Every structure is written in C-alpha cells, then in structure tokens.
Amino acid sequence: MDASRAEQIMRSPETIGVKYRDNYVWIEDIDKGRNTAHVTYLEKRNTLHVSIEQLEETGPVSYLH
C-alpha cells in the first residue's frame, strides 16, 4: 500500500479492511515523511509503528470478527 491510499482509508467514513502480517489492524495515524503508519491490532489491542508498504487492503467490510 502507498501512503496516499493509507490516508484515504484512515479518513474514509466506511470501514475498509487492512491487514498487517495476516492480522486486521486499524490505521491510527500516518507519517508520510517516514512512510510509516501507527496501527492497532483489532484483536490484541496493542499498537505499533509499521512500514506502510507492509499494509494490505482487503476491501470494504460490514463487520470485523
């Protein structure tokens, strides 16, 4: 994923699925200068900074498991 798309997803009124290492995450913030995103694992609730390139969009979702 690129930084522009990550920002679009973060600001979208729709819920758009995003995975990091096969786990769903919520994009909290983006640092375009470093090309990183601050994300929260949805199941574990822990947060971390990751490379935006490692995020994978899975498409619109109506609910998350």
Side-chain angles (χ1 to χ4, degrees):
M1 178 179 305
D2 65 29
S4 294
R5 183 60 184 146
E7 190 168 42
Q8 289 173 349
I9 290 170
M10 185 179 73
R11 298 184 190 284
S12 175
E14 297 178 15
T15 302
I16 300 172
V18 175
K19 284 187 172 184
Y20 172 71
R21 296 187 176 174
D22 295 324
N23 293 287
Y24 279 101
V25 295
W26 187 260
I27 301 172
E28 303 286 351
D29 196 22
I30 294 169
D31 183 339
K32 286 185 177 180
R34 293 183 175 177
N35 201 40
T36 60
H38 179 215
V39 300
T40 301
Y41 280 109
L42 295 184
E43 291 182 12
K44 301 174 188 175
R45 301 285 187 219
N46 57 328
T47 62
L48 63 155
H49 285 87
V50 301
S51 170
I52 293 172
E53 295 171 351
Q54 293 180 314
L55 298 176
E56 175 188 353
E57 180 177 351
T58 62
V61 293
S62 56
Y63 66 92
L64 294 173
H65 306 267

